[in-house]
Amino acid sequence: MFEYELQQIRSAELIREAQNYRLAKEALRGRRAARRADARRSAHNDTEGQGHTHRPRRHRFARAA
C-alpha cells in the first residue's frame, strides 16, 4: 500500500511539472510573438535608416574603365 501511495504522489508531481513546463513554453511563445509584432510595427513606422533623398545611392568605388 505504501508503494502505491508513493507512486501516486510521484505521478501527481510529474503531472504538475509537465503543466508548469507547458505554461512556461506558452508564455515564452507569447512574449516572442509580441516582440516580433512590435518589431514589425516599429520597422513599418520608423524612418531611421532610410535615406532623406529619393536618389539612388552612389557606388562606393568608381568603375574601372
Side-chain angles (χ1 to χ4, degrees):
M1 191 66 167
F2 181 71
E3 291 83 12
Y4 176 76
E5 290 174 4
L6 283 178
Q7 190 272 334
Q8 291 294 99
I9 291 169
R10 181 68 181 140
S11 176
E13 184 180 335
L14 287 173
I15 290 169
R16 277 193 305 272
E17 286 179 10
Q19 182 64 25
N20 286 339
Y21 179 77
R22 282 191 292 271
L23 286 173
K25 293 288 274 187
E26 185 178 338
L28 182 63
R29 215 175 300 127
R31 285 195 305 265
R32 285 179 181 161
R35 195 167 38 232
R36 281 193 301 268
D38 188 40
R40 275 195 299 268
R41 259 194 314 276
S42 67
H44 186 293
N45 297 333
D46 192 14
T47 58
E48 184 178 337
Q50 297 178 2
H52 62 279
T53 64
H54 298 291
R55 295 183 308 169
R57 191 167 88 77
R58 288 190 306 169
H59 293 289
R60 183 173 295 198
F61 303 108
R63 197 181 297 188

